[in-house]
Amino acid sequence: MLFTVFLAYIMYLGWIIFFYQPVVEKEPKEENVIFIQKVKPIYVELTTPYGILPVENCDSVNPYVYTKVVSLKSLPVRERKKRFISLMLPSILIKNFQLDQERKIILKIKEKLENNQEILSVEDKFLSGMFEKYKVENINDLLKRLNTSPVSIILAQAAIESGWGTSRFFVEANNVFGVWTFNKNSPHIIKAKHSNAYLKKYDNILQAVDDYYYSINVGWAYENFRLVRLQTDDPLLLTNHLEKYSILRKQYVQRLKSIIVSNNLQKYDNCRINPDFVYTAVLR
């Protein structure tokens, strides 16, 4: 009898041990997603130069993207320049914000690889896509290209190439930077007068800024510019390496510097997008 009770007790303990195994917490796995901040643009179609919404606070610029522009030629020079800057600045800041966010992701991936950490499949996919887009084969070369330029330089180039918002290509094609193409079969072109060449046509100003940036960040002519850009953000130094943007070469560089200084464009280099229009997106 005593043995039977003892055996039952042993079996009871065994069941307790079986059902009440201690819970071993596992290391939480990093979710296979990338969080990236983006800007939600506000699209605006112009019918008059006075429809350009003024930039009142450089620290909090609303992300207006103009889809149809009009000539600013009728405006007095001072007013024309002010309106042109207000038209261009939001799109430049939106693009700079995007490039900064993408660069942060690449830097995080680079740090993981240098520390022999496994990267997520979504990170590998993102990295491969960037390699293909920017035509590189390693992260260091990608980081030379995936970068921003001072706002003042972009404003000055836009001012020169569009005549402060008065050129035919600006008005008819949203082409702010005088970007040419010889692909006459493209539906997004406008023919130059007295030439067989064509200029690209864009749906909005942000598209024009995006294409300009891609040319600067990938084109062979701007390799020195990109290398110096890693060392300094001084627009007056960087412009020295944009001579190949125009057939005027050194004269073009001097003109850029003159526009930056005489119009005090450097004050826009620290402008920021209104954070109320920034949201977090998920890449999978």
Side-chain angles (χ1 to χ4, degrees), residues 10-275:
I10 293 298
M11 291 178 66
Y12 172 72
L13 289 177
W15 281 107
I16 291 177
I17 293 170
F18 178 79
F19 282 108
Y20 294 94
Q21 291 292 327
V23 177
V24 179
E25 293 189 5
K26 295 181 179 179
E27 286 286 332
K29 286 188 176 181
E30 190 176 359
E31 193 175 359
N32 189 37
V33 296
I34 293 174
F35 295 99
I36 184 170
Q37 288 190 306
K38 294 188 175 184
V39 177
K40 185 175 180 58
I42 306 169
Y43 292 98
V44 179
E45 183 174 334
L46 293 178
T47 56
T48 168
Y50 296 100
I52 300 171
L53 298 155
V55 173
E56 297 176 347
N57 182 2
C58 189
D59 293 328
S60 187
V61 178
N62 289 336
Y64 299 119
V65 174
Y66 295 90
T67 59
K68 177 67 178 71
V69 298
V70 294
S71 176
L72 309 186
K73 192 173 184 178
S74 62
L75 299 176
V77 173
R78 186 173 179 179
E79 180 69 14
R80 182 190 307 159
K81 290 181 177 182
K82 182 179 178 181
R83 295 278 176 177
F84 181 76
I85 291 169
S86 291
L87 180 143
M88 290 300 308
L89 184 60
S91 287
I92 296 171
L93 295 180
I94 291 170
K95 185 59 185 178
N96 276 3
F97 187 91
Q98 177 196 339
L99 290 170
D100 280 335
Q101 293 302 311
E102 291 172 342
R103 186 176 175 84
K104 285 179 181 178
I105 293 173
I106 297 301
L107 286 170
K108 180 181 177 182
I109 295 172
K110 182 175 187 285
E111 183 180 6
K112 278 187 172 184
L113 293 173
E114 289 175 344
N115 292 327
N116 295 317
Q117 292 178 267
E118 184 179 357
I119 65 172
L120 303 171
S121 60
V122 68
E123 291 174 326
D124 183 61
K125 179 181 176 182
F126 182 82
L127 184 61
S128 297
M130 285 295 174
F131 280 178
E132 182 177 356
K133 178 179 179 179
Y134 285 94
K135 301 178 181 179
V136 295
E137 296 181 353
N138 63 74
I139 287 185
N140 289 332
D141 285 343
L142 175 60
L143 289 171
K144 291 174 187 175
R145 297 188 173 192
L146 181 62
N147 207 349
T148 60
S149 302
V151 171
S152 54
I153 290 180
I154 306 174
L155 285 174
Q157 288 193 272
I160 289 176
E161 300 300 334
S162 73
W164 289 97
T166 63
S167 73
R168 179 172 74 94
F169 302 127
F170 170 78
V171 175
E172 296 182 15
N174 291 319
N175 191 325
V176 192
F177 300 96
V179 179
W180 295 79
T181 178
F182 286 89
N183 180 12
K184 64 181 181 180
N185 296 319
S186 171
H188 306 292
I189 56 174
I190 180 172
K191 192 176 186 306
K193 291 181 179 178
H194 313 299
S195 171
N196 291 325
Y198 297 82
L199 274 85
K200 290 186 178 181
K201 188 173 184 178
Y202 303 100
D203 292 336
N204 54 61
I205 296 299
L206 181 56
Q207 275 190 9
V209 172
D210 182 78
D211 200 32
Y212 156 84
Y213 245 127
Y214 187 75
S215 176
I216 292 293
N217 284 348
V218 175
W220 64 267
Y222 313 112
E223 184 176 0
N224 286 339
F225 174 84
R226 294 191 293 266
L227 291 175
V228 176
R229 187 174 59 177
L230 293 171
Q231 308 300 323
T232 181
D233 59 0
D234 185 336
L236 300 181
L237 293 177
L238 284 169
T239 50
N240 291 324
H241 304 278
L242 287 172
E243 71 278 359
K244 291 179 182 176
Y245 197 92
S246 168
I247 58 173
L248 298 176
R249 297 294 192 262
K250 294 298 181 182
Q251 185 180 341
Y252 178 75
V253 169
Q254 292 306 313
R255 193 176 174 195
L256 276 177
K257 290 181 179 181
S258 176
I259 288 178
I260 290 171
V261 173
S262 62
N263 294 281
N264 193 22
L265 296 184
Q266 285 176 272
K267 70 180 180 181
Y268 299 105
D269 285 339
N270 295 317
C271 290
R272 295 290 180 268
I273 282 291
N274 184 343

